[in-house]
């Protein structure tokens, strides 16, 4: 008797729970999911600011409540792991570092920036063109005696974070040019400090990203070249939007919405110069530089999706350069991409 | 103090750290969070790195900068502090500047030192010595000022005046207060040593920890953090020993009183 009573209660409870579950499961279809995004303050991440301001996120059922800036990917990926933000910008190299060195389980959601394939091929042969399409640069003084990548050996070179994209790509360029990258004296400096430090001779060279690359040459200094172009071959997505594997498992719908929103934003930016201008206008909210400076910089390239090679190739090269101890496991790093 | 009583004192002081380490060790034992690896794993890595493989590369340069920077701060702080303690008129002119400069958080001044000195050791030593000078200077000034008038009167009777009075009466009498300033200065010097390596350094304990964090070598970063704590603690113990020897007369006096 007692048992029966219990099972009756249990049945009632099960019905109640399932009803609630059904109700809550039905809600996300209509209500927007709250998301916080973390970015590095560079021109290309203006895309999320534009998607927010223009209502593209809202239209896709995402409620982006905050876009916070981080000086470099490691702290933003730490914020991601703690749940303070749900999606962050990161170049593929720190993503590989975080997964391989740190065991941080993060996955690539969508493309953020990169190179067009034809542009990349042309840029490899044409340094002047490379400087036009790549947002990375190495700022040097014209009187430094540095004329090619291998001249950096024995010099003090600044990067925003050690062991990350800047160091990996410059090391790769120096090695390709016949130099030994392990003899470079790497130091950590933020982008805004680079130009004045090169000018005063405190460092011999400094890695920059737009708008600071243009700032360097505008101030009478020289850009040695685009280390990104030297490093990447056929990769299209260099910067990506990432989230934790756990968030990806629990919120597939929200991430699909994010992919759609970024696809639409990237398509919009690529459509015309006027559109790109609007996205760059939005980027100034993140970078804090005047619009004229954002427009003077090389415009970002916005890929439409990420392919496995975009992550696998840099990982192979990082292994060759000694930044990874063992081959990277890139299976499962990439969420299924949105292709309409 | 007898040996057994001293041992008891150490045990009483050690129970909380031991408990905390035990709690950390057991609570983290099963951790799969990459940002919070088990303490046992951190400890294994700590021994690999710091006993004593990486010590010449990272610990020695940091301690060298600390030693030189702190030595400069002691000489400047005690020297200028003594002068200001004796001459109230000079102090009136200088004190506002001193108060202004010492209010600036030491860590925030590192970028300024980079502009002046560049990125090598001289920048770090300058930042350390400037930051550590203020507490030493202020303590010395106050200590010298607060000399017991009876002592000064007695000195006057023996015609001990001027520099001799400062050197033989005021400064020795001010030692207990000066030492409290020296201790505070040493702690600040240690903090600035680490902080100065967060910008533009390729080696040193601070740089090591930063590079490890940047490269997601989270285990290595934890060993850096623990190393900083242990070094800071060890430096404090050494200071305590030096202080106890230097102030033996004072401690004895207090016991008598």
């Amino acid at each position: 008797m007692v048992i029966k009573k219990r099972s009756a209660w249990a049945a009632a409870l099960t019905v109640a729970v399932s009803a609630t579950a059904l109700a809550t499961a039905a809600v996300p279809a209509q209500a927007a999911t709250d998301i916080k995004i973390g970015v590095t303050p560079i021109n290309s991440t203006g895309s999320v600011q534009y998607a927010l301001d223009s209502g593209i996120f809202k239209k896709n059922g995402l409620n982006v409540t905050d876009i916070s800036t981080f000086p470099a990917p490691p702290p933003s990926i730490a914020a991601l792991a703690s749940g303070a933000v749900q999606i962050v910008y990161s170049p593929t190299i720190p993503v590989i570092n975080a997964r391989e060195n740190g065991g941080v389980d993060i996955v690539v959601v969508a493309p953020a920036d990169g190179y067009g394939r034809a542009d990349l091929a042309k840029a490899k042969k044409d340094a002047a063109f490379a400087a036009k399409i790549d947002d990375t640069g190495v700022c040097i003084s014209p009187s430094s005696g540095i004329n090619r990548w291998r001249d950096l050996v024995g010099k003090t070179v600044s990067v925003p974070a050690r062991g990350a994209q800047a160091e990996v790509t410059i090391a790769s360029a120096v090695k390709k040019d016949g130099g030994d990258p392990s003899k470079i004296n790497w130091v950590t400096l933020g982008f805004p400090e680079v130009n004045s430090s090169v000018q005063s001779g405190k460092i011999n060279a400094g890695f920059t990203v737009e708008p600071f690359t243009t700032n360097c040459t505008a101030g009478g200094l020289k850009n040695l070249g685009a280390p990104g172009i030297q490093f990447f071959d056929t990769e299209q997505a260099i910067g990506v939007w990432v989230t934790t594997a756990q968030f990806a498992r629990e919120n597939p719908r929200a991430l699909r919405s994010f992919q759609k929103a970024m696809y639409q934003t990237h398509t919009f930016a690529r459509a015309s110069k006027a559109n790109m201008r609007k996205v760059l206008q939005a980027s100034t909210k993140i970078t804090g530089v005047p619009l004229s400076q954002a427009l003077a910089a090389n415009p970002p390239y916005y890929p439409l999706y990420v392919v496995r090679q975009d992550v696998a190739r840099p990982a192979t090269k990082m292994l060759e350069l000694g930044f990874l101890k063992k081959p990277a496991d890139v299976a499962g790093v990439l969420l299924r991409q949105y292709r309409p | 103090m007898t040996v057994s009583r001293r041992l008891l004192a150490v045990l009483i002081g050690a129970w909380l750290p031991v408990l905390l380490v035990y709690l950390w060790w057991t609570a983290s034992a099963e951790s799969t969070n990459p940002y919070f690896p088990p303490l046992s794993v951190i400890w294994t890595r700590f021994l690999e790195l710091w006993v004593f493989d990486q010590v010449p590369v990272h610990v020695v340069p940091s301690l060298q900068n600390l030693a030189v920077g702190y030595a400069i701060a002691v000489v400047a702080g005690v020297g200028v502090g003594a002068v200001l303690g004796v001459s109230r008129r000079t102090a009136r002119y200088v004190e506002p500047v001193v108060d202004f400069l010492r209010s600036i958080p030491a860590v925030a001044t590192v970028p300024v030192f980079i502009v002046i000195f560049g990125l090598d050791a001289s920048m770090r030593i300058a930042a350390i010595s400037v930051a550590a000078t203020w507490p030493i200077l202020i303590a010395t000034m106050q200590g010298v000022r607060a000399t017991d008038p009876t002592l000064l009167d007695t000195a006057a009777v023996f015609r001990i005046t001027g520099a001799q009075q400062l050197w033989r009466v005021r400064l020795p009498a001010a030692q207990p207060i000066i030492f409290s300033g020296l201790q505070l200065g040493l702690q600040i010097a240690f903090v600035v040593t680490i902080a100065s390596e967060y910008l533009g350094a390729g080696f040193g304990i601070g740089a090591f920890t930063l590079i490890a964090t940047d490269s997601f070598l989270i285990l290595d970063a934890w060993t850096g953090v623990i190393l900083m704590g242990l070094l800071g603690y060890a430096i404090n113990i050494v200071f305590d020993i030096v202080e106890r020897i230097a102030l033996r007369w004072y401690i004895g006096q207090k016991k008598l009183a």
Side-chain angles (χ1 to χ4, degrees):
Chain A
M1 208 43 214
V2 176
I3 294 163
K4 255 194 176 168
K5 224 178 199 174
R6 270 215 187 136
S7 52
W9 271 110
L13 202 65
T14 314
V15 170
V17 168
S18 344
T20 327
L22 272 177
T24 44
V27 171
Q30 289 107 28
T33 313
D34 283 357
I35 289 237
K36 289 190 184 119
I37 297 176
V39 298
T40 312
I42 55 176
N43 284 350
S44 64
T45 56
S47 54
V48 283
Q49 185 70 49
Y50 180 78
L52 175 64
D53 294 350
S54 65
I56 291 179
F57 280 139
K58 190 127 271 179
K59 205 175 69 194
N60 284 288
L62 274 182
N63 185 25
V64 174
T65 55
D66 188 40
I67 296 177
S68 21
T69 57
F70 293 87
S76 64
I77 289 175
L80 187 69
S82 78
V85 289
Q86 283 75 43
I87 295 177
V88 299
Y89 168 86
S90 171
T92 45
I93 291 171
V95 172
I96 296 162
N97 267 334
R99 285 172 58 95
E100 297 304 317
N101 291 338
V104 186
D105 203 1
I106 51 175
V107 290
V108 173
V109 181
D113 58 26
Y115 304 117
R117 194 160 290 185
D119 284 350
L120 192 58
K122 190 175 169 198
K124 282 193 176 285
K125 294 179 203 126
D126 180 350
F129 182 72
K132 269 204 193 93
I133 65 153
D134 192 0
D135 62 352
T136 68
V138 173
C139 192
I140 53 171
S141 159
S143 58
S144 62
I146 299 170
N147 296 308
R148 50 190 302 168
W149 291 107
R150 68 166 178 233
D151 293 343
L152 290 177
V153 173
K155 299 288 197 296
T156 301
V157 181
S158 81
V159 291
R162 290 296 311 277
Q165 186 184 3
E167 190 175 326
V168 173
T169 55
I170 294 173
S172 169
V174 169
K175 196 178 174 195
K176 269 189 192 165
D177 197 26
D180 178 2
S182 69
K183 297 208 172 79
I184 295 173
N185 176 27
W186 303 102
V187 297
T188 319
L189 269 191
F191 296 132
E193 279 92 32
V194 168
N195 293 348
S196 62
S197 301
V198 170
Q199 197 105 50
S200 59
K202 306 254 159 36
I203 54 174
N204 302 110
F207 176 87
T208 56
V209 173
E210 291 292 12
F212 299 100
T213 311
T214 300
N215 239 357
C216 163
T217 46
L221 297 168
K222 216 176 109 186
N223 182 3
L224 177 62
I229 293 282
Q230 301 298 317
F231 183 78
F232 295 105
D233 294 316
T234 52
E235 295 91 331
Q236 298 204 48
I238 308 300
V240 289
W241 297 105
V242 296
T243 190
T244 59
Q246 189 190 351
F247 188 82
R249 274 194 303 274
E250 291 165 2
N251 301 276
R253 201 190 295 259
L255 292 178
R256 202 66 180 157
S257 304
F258 182 81
Q259 289 179 328
K260 255 189 197 170
M262 292 325 290
Y263 187 93
Q264 288 160 7
T265 309
H266 286 195
T267 311
F268 171 83
R270 287 157 66 123
S272 70
K273 273 194 171 166
N275 288 4
M276 181 62 87
R277 190 189 158 93
K278 283 182 191 160
V279 175
L280 285 172
Q281 170 97 55
S283 81
T284 59
K285 276 197 198 171
I286 290 174
T287 59
V289 304
L291 178 61
S292 58
Q293 203 174 316
L295 291 174
N298 304 322
Y301 175 81
Y302 287 122
L304 295 178
Y305 39 78
V306 189
V307 295
R308 214 176 116 109
Q309 284 302 309
D310 294 347
V311 188
R313 276 174 171 275
T316 309
K317 280 175 269 193
M318 285 167 74
L319 183 68
E320 285 164 13
L321 288 163
F323 286 95
L324 292 182
K325 302 276 172 278
K326 56 177 178 23
D329 172 21
V330 292
V333 66
L334 190 61
L335 294 188
R336 191 164 61 86
Q337 296 294 290
Y338 173 75
R339 300 182 198 221
Chain B
M1 217 191 284
T2 61
V3 175
S4 62
R5 279 177 72 186
R6 196 171 278 184
L7 192 71
L8 188 71
V10 170
L11 285 179
I12 289 171
W15 75 268
L16 185 59
V18 168
L19 178 69
L20 289 176
V21 168
Y22 173 76
L23 286 178
W24 185 1
W25 191 282
T26 47
S28 67
E30 305 292 316
S31 170
T32 51
N33 184 333
Y35 283 94
F36 297 100
L39 184 54
S40 53
V41 179
I42 300 175
W43 185 243
T44 310
R45 183 72 182 145
F46 183 93
L47 297 177
E48 276 170 29
L49 287 171
W50 304 117
V51 185
F52 291 90
D53 191 40
Q54 293 292 308
V55 168
V57 187
H58 293 294
V59 181
V60 171
S62 293
L63 292 184
Q64 263 169 358
N65 290 346
L66 174 66
V68 178
Y70 184 63
I72 295 172
V74 171
V75 173
V78 173
V80 178
V83 172
L84 296 183
V86 175
S87 165
R88 290 207 176 232
R89 193 193 288 174
T90 321
R92 260 206 302 278
Y93 289 116
V94 180
E95 254 176 291
V97 181
V98 170
D99 285 338
F100 173 78
L101 290 175
R102 79 187 172 107
S103 312
I104 303 169
V107 174
T109 59
V110 172
V112 180
F113 284 96
I114 291 182
V115 174
I116 303 170
F117 291 96
L119 290 168
D120 51 17
S122 63
M123 174 275 278
R124 291 169 231 288
I125 290 169
I128 296 163
S129 54
V130 169
T133 296
W134 308 120
I136 301 172
L137 187 152
I138 304 240
T140 309
M141 183 174 80
Q142 285 169 350
V144 167
R145 237 180 235 172
T147 319
D148 187 351
T150 333
L151 271 179
L152 294 179
D153 289 343
T154 318
V157 170
F158 288 101
R159 303 198 177 216
I160 300 172
T161 52
Q164 228 188 356
Q165 187 207 61
L166 175 65
W167 188 246
R168 301 183 61 172
V169 181
R170 284 181 181 257
L171 275 178
Q175 267 185 21
I177 301 179
I178 295 176
F179 262 93
S180 67
L182 288 175
Q183 183 161 35
L184 191 57
L186 183 58
Q187 284 157 0
I188 292 175
F190 186 67
V191 170
V192 177
T193 302
I194 303 295
S196 74
E197 290 166 352
Y198 267 61
L199 276 174
F203 47 80
I205 308 159
F208 170 87
T209 310
L210 181 73
I211 294 165
T213 313
D214 281 349
S215 320
F216 293 94
L217 297 166
I218 297 160
L219 209 53
D220 289 8
W222 273 109
T223 69
V225 171
I226 291 175
L227 181 68
M228 287 177 204
L230 291 178
L231 275 178
Y233 189 69
I235 288 169
N236 226 7
I237 288 180
V238 171
F239 183 89
D240 276 348
I241 293 170
V242 172
E243 185 184 33
R244 207 166 293 163
I245 294 168
L247 294 185
R248 205 178 292 154
W249 62 272
Y250 175 72
I251 297 165
Q253 213 174 52
K254 266 211 315 197
K255 262 194 196 147
L256 284 179

